[in-house]
Amino acid sequence: MSIKSFAAQLFAKIIHHKTQKWASNPVATQQKVLEDLIGQAKNTQFGQDHHFSEIKTAENFAKQVPIRDYEELKPYVDRVVQGEENVLWKGKPIYFAKTSGTTSGAKYIPLTKESMPFHIQAARNAILNYIHETGKADFVNGKMIFLQGSPILEEKNGIQLGRLSGIVAHFVPKYLQKNRLPSWETNCIEDWETKVDAIVEETIHEDMAVISGIPSWVQMYFEKLQQKGGKPVGEIFQNFNLFIYGGVNFEPYRSKFENLIGRKVDAIELFPASEGFFAYQDSQKEKGMLLLLNSGIFYEFVKSDEFFNPNPKRYTIGEVELNVNYVLIISTNAGLWAYNIGDTVQFTSLKPYRVIVSGRIKHYISAFGEHVIGKEVEHALQEAMIDTTIRVNEFTVAPQIAPKTGLPYHEWFIEFENEPNNLDEFALAIDDAMRKQNVYYDDLIVGKVLQTVKITKVSKNGFQEYMKSIGKLGGQNKLPRLSNDRTIADQLS
């Protein structure tokens, strides 16, 4: 064992002990976070507008601070962007993470000197927890890669801005700099396809041990590696044994990855966003990701089927239940207050608190009252592929409300790596899996309101071409698993 590996194991033990300490006291930990957030922001404009000096409990907070999304918080954010101090958080942010917006165009998510360290620590601690649990640390001697956005930053009123992954690139610890790929120059390439080609050239002869990124874009990198190297990725990188990912569920990609790699590798799931780093997979044996309760974020949860009610109940960490779909609401040390990030989660464990990302509150299908969420369509596809040779590269689902003939249905757009012998049988298998999970959907099929799902095949690289056509190829961009309209579907058709 190298000195570096030995040091990593010692550090991992320390971090694991610290993690256990706060994870075993979740309610007290969250109360302390709330008190700290309120205390630091009570003299800001937002704190004065919402009477932070009077807030002592989560119940007080819920009464005085309404849930907002970006559009509703934008009047405050705009003042911060213009350079005003002490608006949402004390002082000024040190960065803005620039993300794609909806009606407001670009979104500027503040990152403060208090919030930024937690983004870095969480990613580090995810790896250290893996080392502690498995005892595997040799990979720290190999090369590591994270497929990310450009680290080139702009400036707006004295505050630097860029993609979160590009900002994080500036915080890579010195002890990892020699191990990290691609080069700074390659990372700065804006065009995603050109960038991936350059990454292949830089890495194909290296000893890659850890590879990280959103699965859909890592898949593109692996395909180009295999094409250039003429053999599986696992033979090109013989010491590659750890894949780190976030942003989307890995399960729909797993069989394709194992085929590209030529063997199984361990994986660590992360739950990062520009708004905060919320959770990471702390165990290879347990389902879900450990919710980070001591990272400068106070969490509230609203049941997704109540979210659009006039005044839905907001639950705190001590009140949540297993297997309920919750909209995640956050208040952070970057100045986001009762903020709806749009993600839904379900708890898989309450000791400690672990979650899975079940979908997006805006990404669902309920054209007929079926309330279908992302987790359900992903699970249905996995169930239908069990004990088959079928492999899927990418997919999305949309309702077909007014077909030319017959009843309405859910249309599945699928790019196959290995196609089923019988497409209709595969569609029925998906439909059966959907009906077992979702009683509303089952009722609509039984009641002959809907007919069973239909599959539309998407040509090779069709989804990549679609993402390219809307300017969202690569980086942290993700294809929605399902939509309640046909905006994506009609372009794919």
Side-chain angles (χ1 to χ4, degrees):
M1 179 183 294
S2 70
I3 294 175
K4 201 170 184 180
S5 299
F6 181 69
Q9 289 191 334
L10 286 178
F11 193 26
K13 187 174 182 180
I14 294 169
I15 293 301
H16 176 74
H17 177 72
K18 289 183 177 179
T19 302
Q20 292 299 107
K21 192 172 181 180
W22 62 256
S24 61
N25 294 282
V27 175
T29 298
Q30 277 285 276
Q31 177 62 26
K32 186 175 183 303
V33 169
L34 177 61
E35 291 172 359
D36 184 57
L37 292 175
I38 295 297
Q40 293 198 63
K42 64 183 179 182
N43 294 322
T44 63
Q45 187 62 59
F46 190 93
Q48 292 174 13
D49 290 348
H50 296 82
H51 308 290
F52 274 18
S53 60
E54 301 173 9
I55 294 175
K56 305 297 181 187
T57 66
E59 290 80 9
N60 298 155
F61 182 77
K63 285 179 181 177
Q64 292 181 203
V65 185
I67 294 171
R68 291 175 167 94
D69 59 16
Y70 185 83
E71 312 304 328
E72 293 163 316
L73 196 66
K74 190 172 181 292
Y76 286 99
V77 176
D78 284 346
R79 291 170 63 178
V80 181
V81 173
Q82 293 304 315
E84 193 173 334
E85 296 187 9
N86 303 314
V87 178
L88 287 165
W89 189 254
K90 58 186 182 181
K92 294 170 68 172
I94 53 174
Y95 295 101
F96 287 119
K98 189 177 180 181
T99 68
S100 300
T102 50
T103 58
S104 62
K107 293 164 61 175
Y108 296 92
I109 307 298
L111 296 166
T112 64
K113 69 180 192 312
E114 290 82 12
S115 71
M116 196 65 220
F118 287 112
H119 285 272
I120 311 306
Q121 290 172 20
R124 178 203 69 190
N125 291 353
I127 297 173
L128 291 171
N129 267 283
Y130 170 81
I131 291 172
H132 179 80
E133 183 189 43
T134 65
K136 299 174 182 177
D138 288 344
F139 64 85
V140 301
N141 300 303
K143 298 286 187 179
M144 304 180 186
I145 185 174
F146 178 58
L147 297 181
Q148 60 189 170
S150 170
I152 297 174
L153 304 179
E154 305 170 46
E155 190 172 294
K156 197 171 185 72
N157 294 320
I159 300 173
Q160 291 187 305
L161 65 95
R163 298 288 181 182
L164 176 65
S165 61
I167 293 170
V168 168
H170 292 261
F171 289 84
V172 176
K174 288 184 178 179
Y175 62 85
L176 288 181
Q177 291 287 5
K178 291 183 180 179
N179 295 59
R180 181 176 173 272
L181 286 170
S183 66
W184 186 269
E185 292 74 22
T186 294
N187 233 0
C188 291
I189 297 172
E190 290 288 348
D191 180 74
W192 187 251
E193 290 172 297
T194 305
K195 183 173 187 169
V196 173
D197 286 337
I199 292 172
V200 169
E201 292 295 331
E202 281 193 3
T203 58
I204 195 165
H205 299 298
E206 296 286 350
D207 179 22
M208 302 305 302
V210 180
I211 296 172
S212 177
I214 291 176
S216 53
W217 308 122
V218 175
Q219 178 178 310
M220 182 179 177
Y221 167 58
F222 282 174
E223 288 171 342
K224 288 177 178 286
L225 272 173
Q226 191 180 65
Q227 184 179 3
K228 184 171 181 63
K231 52 188 175 183
V233 173
E235 291 183 29
I236 296 171
F237 304 140
Q238 295 185 14
N239 291 314
F240 167 46
N241 284 297
L242 182 59
F243 173 51
I244 303 173
Y245 68 95
V248 298
N249 183 3
F250 181 48
E251 290 307 316
Y253 299 93
R254 189 178 293 277
S255 62
K256 171 68 173 177
F257 266 59
E258 289 176 1
N259 180 257
L260 285 167
I261 298 167
R263 53 184 164 82
K264 293 183 178 181
V265 299
D266 286 349
I268 302 174
E269 183 176 8
L270 310 178
F271 185 10
S274 299
E275 295 86 353
F277 202 124
F278 308 123
Y280 59 71
Q281 184 180 347
D282 67 317
S283 174
Q284 295 290 300
K285 301 170 186 174
E286 304 295 335
K287 184 180 180 182
M289 295 174 284
L290 182 70
L291 190 65
L292 304 181
L293 302 175
N294 74 328
S295 296
I297 301 171
F298 177 69
Y299 299 95
E300 296 173 282
F301 308 89
V302 177
K303 293 180 180 179
S304 59
D305 56 2
E306 299 175 0
F307 183 73
F308 295 105
N309 293 349
N311 189 28
K313 178 173 172 54
R314 289 152 66 171
Y315 298 87
T316 54
I317 195 66
E319 301 171 304
V320 295
E321 303 171 58
L322 294 174
N323 304 316
V324 174
N325 210 43
Y326 292 104
V327 180
L328 185 63
I329 307 299
I330 61 168
S331 297
T332 78
N333 54 7
L336 301 176
W337 301 103
Y339 186 85
N340 169 25
I341 65 169
D343 286 317
T344 59
V345 299
Q346 292 181 7
F347 284 89
T348 60
S349 166
L350 302 182
K351 289 185 178 181
Y353 285 91
R354 293 192 181 100
V355 296
I356 58 170
V357 181
S358 53
R360 298 277 294 169
I361 193 63
K362 292 182 179 179
H363 293 166
Y364 61 90
I365 298 178
S366 199
F368 307 92
E370 59 269 51
H371 307 297
V372 171
I373 61 175
K375 175 177 172 284
E376 291 170 342
V377 296
E378 289 175 339
H379 180 75
L381 184 65
Q382 292 162 35
E383 284 288 305
M385 291 194 297
I386 290 175
D387 297 327
T388 74
T389 59
I390 300 167
R391 286 201 299 273
V392 168
N393 287 338
E394 192 61 275
F395 77 98
T396 192
V397 188
Q400 176 51 271
I401 297 172
K404 291 180 180 178
T405 59
L407 296 171
Y409 54 87
H410 286 185
E411 187 172 9
W412 288 59
F413 294 83
I414 302 179
E415 181 185 324
F416 289 101
E417 175 71 17
N418 281 357
E419 292 188 20
N421 293 326
N422 189 312
L423 202 63
D424 291 335
E425 286 182 6
F426 187 56
L428 281 174
I430 291 174
D431 202 73
D432 286 343
M434 282 299 307
R435 293 174 65 181
K436 288 174 185 175
Q437 294 181 89
N438 188 310
V439 65
Y440 304 109
Y441 181 77
D442 183 58
D443 287 344
L444 292 168
I445 296 292
V446 171
K448 300 194 183 311
V449 176
L450 294 179
Q451 60 177 311
T452 54
V453 305
K454 307 257 181 223
I455 295 174
T456 296
K457 290 192 291 185
V458 176
S459 60
K460 178 72 172 174
N461 298 322
F463 285 105
Q464 286 184 18
E465 291 301 317
Y466 164 72
M467 295 295 279
K468 186 176 181 180
S469 73
I470 61 171
K472 292 190 176 183
L473 182 66
Q476 309 313 115
N477 296 306
K478 296 159 283 190
L479 177 79
R481 281 285 177 244
L482 70 177
S483 308
N484 204 39
D485 58 40
R486 292 188 61 82
T487 302
I488 297 173
D490 287 344
Q491 291 203 48
L492 291 171
S493 296

